[in-house]
Structures are given as C-alpha cells and as structure tokens.
Amino acid sequence: MTGRSPRLSRLRRVVPEGRATRPVEARGAKPRRRGAQPKVVALGGGMGLSASLAALRRITGDLTAVVTVADDGGSSGRLRDELGVLPPGDLRKALAALCGDDDWGQTWARVIQHRFQSKGDLHDHAVGNVLIVALWEQLGDPVQALDLVGRLLGAHGRVLPMSAVPLELQALVKGHDPERPEDVDTVRGQATVALTPGEVQSVHVVPHDPPAVPEAVAAVLDADWVVLGPGSWFSSVIPHLLVPELLDALTQTKARRVLSLNLAPQPGETDGFSPQRHLEVLGRHAPKLALDVVLADQAAVPDRDSLTDAAKRFGAAVELAPVARPDGTPRHDPELLAAAYDRIFRMHGRIGPWR
C-alpha cells in the first residue's frame, strides 16, 4: 500500500494514547530503543510462545514475536481453507499474551480470545481470528494489519508471522499405524502431527522453500537476544528452522540465543522424550544452529549431566530455574519465567548498556 488508508487513520484514532509500552514503528523504520532494555525476539507458536511472551513483556519493552503459520485445525484451519489466508490463531494468542495487566489489556485479551457458541457457521470461531482476517482483507498487508491490532490492544510488543504464505507441516512418523510398528509413514497437517501416535522422526514444510517475512528476518538480525521455545517441539518450535531465510538469520545474528525447554513431554508428539532428546532432534533439523543458553525447569531435568553434554554440542550453557506454576500443572508461571529470563540476560548478556 502507498500512503495512509482512510480506514487506517480512522481506526488509529480510537486507540487511547500511551496504552502500548512500545508503539509499533512504521514499516521499514528502525525501531526506537528505550533506555538500556534488551531487544528480544521470541519464536514459537501456541501456548508455549504465549507463556514466553507473557514473561518477556514484564522485563523488556522492546519485544517481537515471530509466529509459526502452519496451523490447520479449528477456527484457523476453517478460515485458512475458506479464504486462503495465513492461519490467524497462533498470531491471536501471541497478541493476547502481549496485552497488559490493566483493565484495558485484560479486557481486550478476553475479547479476542472469546469464541462464538452457536449452531451455525460462526460456532467456535475466535473473535480475534475474525478481526485479524478482516483487517488483512481491508489493508491487503498482513504485517500492517497485525501492527494495527497490536495498537488497538495496547500490546507490549509486536507480532509477526514467520512466513508470508500458509505452510503445511508434514512429519515422518514411525509406528503411526500400531499394526505396523516398524513402518514410517508421512503424516500431514500440524493438528494431526501434534497428536500423532508413533514416534516422529522428522518434520518438513510445504512449500519446501517458503519465503520469510522480511520484518521477521530483520528483527532476528537486529536483536540482542533470541528466544526459541517452549512449545510443541515438532509443530511450533522446529518449523522456524525450516524457513531458509529465517534459519540463515538465526545462524548469522549477533544476538545471543536461549532455548527454553518444555516442562514435560507432549502426548503424541514427544512422548518419552528426555530434555536432551529435545536438543538432539533440534540439532538434526538445524545442525549449524548455535545456542548460548538452554533454560529448563530444575524439577524437569532428572539427568543434568546428559543435558549439559547435549547443550555443549550447541555451544550452550545450561541454566536450571523453577519456572513451573506452583500448582503442579505443566505450565510456565509468567513471573517465575520472567525472573529466569532476566537472570539469563544479565548473567550472559553484554557488559554495559545494550547496544
């Protein structure tokens, strides 16, 4: 688009000033730095990325989420099939996680996460999904539309899709058919891969050489820290490594890189995986990827020596910290995870002001 759309101007006027911690910059402009805050980029999808963002927005005002676009289930899958758009669901969840803790932020977080309940075509569609797709159609620009939604919500950061086209996730799965436990089959679709029986051997995306969103590549190259994970390992974390331009940026960036491990194996996708096994499969998909820190919950690591050895293959140190919710559920606590990230950024970061 050229110039400013009248619709865009009108919509911007309804957003109260000062809601966002860091206003979204115009496309192509270099984001402003605020004080000595680290510039952080978080990659992932689903609830894992949401947990990371809810923690990171507490410790930096310079935050960008890069979100997978391979979802093909639920409301996202229906909108994707009907309209040929990027799946909006994980993007919506990331925006909700970036909403502030004040009344404005929490109200909007609930609104965009709300799902319609009916006996008609709107049943189970999320309000945020419909809003995002409507703005995509109005503005003709996914990045500009997401920036506008972020302004409306007062989001404490920016949300970008990792690729400019919707992707299909495919997995090679051993024992997908219980009657043929030694056979390897191809399983198609993120929703299916996430719950597949059998052992996932590897994943790839179709198209095989998808274009990255330029703003996502630029954010990674310009970051102080890049955070990968937690999240569904094969369907939310590893897909970022399957976009060639994004993988190049992750290997070339001068940012320091932290990998945040899950609290427990995911049923179906990573059943029986140890923490070090997660690193091993990550390395098989991106053998040139280097890491600086591997973060794990201390209660989820029965064998620290094995995890340390696996992390060393990436050039990384292991940091163990209590990051799980105290109620015993396998979910990250935003405050505890924020404290762990803050400690890592301070201990492993650069000396003196950022940049």
Side-chain angles (χ1 to χ4, degrees), residues 169-198:
L169 188 70
Q170 297 186 359
L172 296 179
V173 182
K174 181 179 180 181
H176 175 67
D177 182 347
E179 296 184 359
R180 298 183 288 110
E182 297 302 315
D183 289 358
V184 176
D185 296 306
T186 299
V187 175
R188 294 175 172 82
Q190 184 185 43
T192 304
V193 171
L195 298 174
T196 182

Side-chain angles (χ1 to χ4, degrees), residues 26-51:
R27 287 191 71 179
K30 186 176 179 62
R32 294 188 296 269
R33 305 308 307 276
R34 299 186 63 197
Q37 297 183 99
K39 181 178 288 189
V40 181
V41 176
L43 299 92
M47 297 309 297
L49 177 60
S50 294

